[in-house]
Structure formats: structure tokens, C-alpha cells
Amino acid sequence: MPEAPVIDGATHLHSGKVRDLYELQGGPHDGHLLMVASDRISIFDFVLDSTIPDKGEILTRMSLWWFDQLADLVPGHVVSTDVPAAVARRAVVCERLDMFPVECVARGYLTGTGLLDYDATGEVCGIPLPAGLVDGSRLPTPIFTPATKADLGDHDENVSYDAVATEVGAEAAATLRELTLAVYARAETIARERGIILADTKLEFGRRLDGPGTIVLGDEVLTPDSSRFWPADAWTPGRPQASYDKQIVRNWALSPESGWDRASGQAPPPLPAEVVERTRARYVEAFELLTGEKW
């Protein structure tokens, strides 16, 4: 991981695969958090040396757009977009929340780790599914398939709803499931109107540090880093789908061209310029199609 940049008036608290988190001191947002989206990209739990130009700004602008679309369903954590000039357009000022220790995943289609679980057990996170489903199959109804939050470099692991209820309490678990599926339903409809399938998405929620403990949607939301977006006109169950995300990078890393041995435990080599540009183009395309804005 590269060192987080120094930002005047902010103390660095934590860095994830893509985002750096700071606490602001002084000024109108004293004590609030500053969340900065970098241009870093990660695959298979490795943060690559290569970056994708404009990625942090794309993720931030897309998240802000989605927070607006979801405001009547659940409050978002964004307080302001008035951020230090050094991180303009790629950062937000946000609330300090008590985050739930669970990744809230909604799936409307079967793929990824959900497909692996289904092929092994006929279930995903303890939820039985019909026989005969294949990679890319649309599920009869969207399902809530939570996962544990892993430390940097480790894998998130799918868990059952009962495990979430044990971890956070039955009432909170029920609310997280309800909110996750409501957000997915809203976003899936919006995306479909724009010719895009939202196959699944990962959300994070926290409680406000107030008396009622209001549940708030945090982190990023419905970006190509946290969601699988597929072109609707190319959807064909039974094979991997074309996608608006970093699949281009994954495919290159696993190809003979990269020379990378995934079993080695070493990070993939730097990305060729052509792979970087194609990946950036897919992020831009997803942003423009979903928001209707020009990059």
C-alpha cells in the first residue's frame, strides 16, 4: 500500500484498498471524517502498483449521484462536498458512524462467490435456490447474502442471516436486510431503464452516534467497485458476462500475457497501458450511462 497523502487540517486514520480516511480538525467540519477515493485498483485482494486515472473521482461522483436517488429510502453519510483543494472532486466530508461489522450484499443474479456456494450446496448463505441455475441466471427474487468484513489482504466470507443476527442483534439484522433489498430494488430498476443489469451490490451501514442510533448508508454506493453491472443487451446466462468494472484487469492478470502465478502469493505485475486505458473507459462508460452526465 502506498502511503496516504498528507492533507492540511486532517489527520490520517486508516487506508483501505481504494479509500483513505481522515479526521478533520478546525473549520466548519471539525471532528467529521474526510473520505478520499484514490485511483488505486485491487484484484484478488492485492492492491496493484498501477493506478487507473480518474477512478477516484468517478467513484465519488457516482456515489453522490446514487445517494441522491436513495435519499427517501435511507439517509446517507455525506455531510458536504466542500473538501480540501488537494482532494477536490474525489472526496467527501462524512459523518462519524458506528459501522456494522458486516458487508450487506444483495443479489438478483447468480455469479461470483454466490455461484460457487450454489454449485457446492444448492444454497447461497443458507438460502435454498431452485435447481438448474447457471452463471448469470436471474434469481426468482433478490436475496440478502451478507459477508464478514475482512482485514486488508484477507477474503470476505459469506455468512448466514442467522450469523448476522447473532452478531448485531435480531432487530438490527432485520433492518439491514430490509434496507439492503430496498436499495437493490430501487437501483436495479434505475439501472435497467438505462440498459444495465445490476447483478449484485455490496453496501455498508452504520449507526449515528445519537440517541436513536439512526441507521445510515455509508462508504461508497453502487459503483463498479462495489457492484456488478452488466450490459443488458449482452446478458446470456451460462457464461461469464461482460461487465462495467475491473474484470478487464482480472482477465489480463490471469492470462498467459501477464506471466503471473496466482498461487505464488505475489502481487500481479504492473498493468500495460492498454489495459489501464480500457479499464478507465469502462468506468467512464458506466458513469455516463447510469447518471446521464458527461464525464
Side-chain angles (χ1 to χ4, degrees):
M1 287 285 294
E3 289 190 12
V6 175
I7 300 175
D8 290 341
T11 299
H12 177 247
L13 300 177
H14 173 75
S15 289
K17 294 172 185 174
V18 173
R19 285 170 175 75
D20 300 308
L21 192 65
Y22 300 79
E23 181 179 9
L24 293 168
Q25 285 100 35
H29 302 304
D30 181 52
H32 283 303
L33 300 178
L34 179 71
M35 190 174 72
V36 182
S38 74
D39 291 340
R40 296 191 295 269
I41 191 164
S42 68
I43 56 169
F44 308 119
D45 294 310
F46 290 102
V47 178
L48 305 188
D49 290 336
S50 303
T51 58
I52 307 299
D54 299 320
K55 179 171 176 279
E57 184 175 345
I58 293 169
L59 298 181
T60 300
R61 287 178 59 182
M62 189 177 292
S63 285
L64 287 170
W65 187 85
W66 278 113
F67 277 122
D68 286 344
Q69 311 309 308
L70 304 169
D72 62 316
L73 294 179
V74 58
H77 71 152
V78 176
V79 173
S80 174
T81 56
D82 181 16
V83 300
V87 291
R89 298 180 300 279
R90 62 173 59 244
V92 294
V93 178
C94 54
E95 296 184 58
R96 186 184 293 273
L97 302 172
D98 181 14
M99 300 302 293
F100 288 101
V102 59
E103 305 279 7
C104 294
V105 180
R107 300 178 189 271
Y109 293 75
L110 187 63
T111 193
T113 58
L115 177 64
L116 295 177
D117 289 353
Y118 171 80
D119 285 344
T121 66
E123 302 178 345
V124 180
C125 293
I127 301 171
L129 295 176
L133 301 181
V134 295
D135 192 357
S137 288
R138 187 174 188 178
L139 302 178
T141 186
I143 57 176
F144 177 62
T145 59
T148 58
K149 284 186 180 180
D151 294 330
L152 186 63
D154 291 333
H155 296 279
D156 295 343
E157 292 188 5
N158 293 344
V159 295
S160 68
Y161 175 78
D162 288 344
V164 174
T166 299
E167 179 72 25
V168 305
E171 182 177 353
T175 301
L176 292 178
R177 178 170 61 184
E178 178 183 356
L179 287 174
T180 299
L181 293 175
V183 167
Y184 176 82
R186 171 72 59 80
E188 194 274 339
T189 299
I190 291 173
R192 184 173 292 278
E193 291 170 349
R194 290 155 171 79
I196 294 177
I197 289 173
L198 174 59
D200 55 44
T201 193
K202 177 181 69 175
L203 307 171
E204 295 199 30
F205 296 92
R207 285 191 187 277
R208 279 188 176 141
L209 306 179
D210 57 12
T214 304
I215 293 180
V216 175
L217 180 59
D219 198 57
E220 64 179 324
V221 58
L222 292 156
T223 72
D225 273 15
S226 65
S227 313
R228 284 188 176 91
F229 294 113
W230 299 336
D233 59 4
W235 172 57
T236 305
R239 61 166 177 79
Q241 308 300 312
S243 59
Y244 293 103
D245 60 13
K246 52 192 175 185
Q247 193 61 45
I248 293 169
V249 178
R250 296 190 193 100
N251 291 346
W252 176 83
L254 294 174
S255 73
E257 180 186 351
S258 75
W260 180 54
D261 178 8
R262 186 176 179 182
S264 69
Q266 301 298 312
L271 302 176
E274 180 266 342
V275 173
V276 170
E277 181 51 39
R278 284 200 296 130
T279 302
R280 178 188 176 279
R282 289 300 266 177
Y283 275 78
V284 170
E285 184 180 0
F287 170 82
E288 292 185 339
L289 287 173
L290 286 166
T291 67
E293 301 173 11
K294 292 297 291 182
W295 177 247

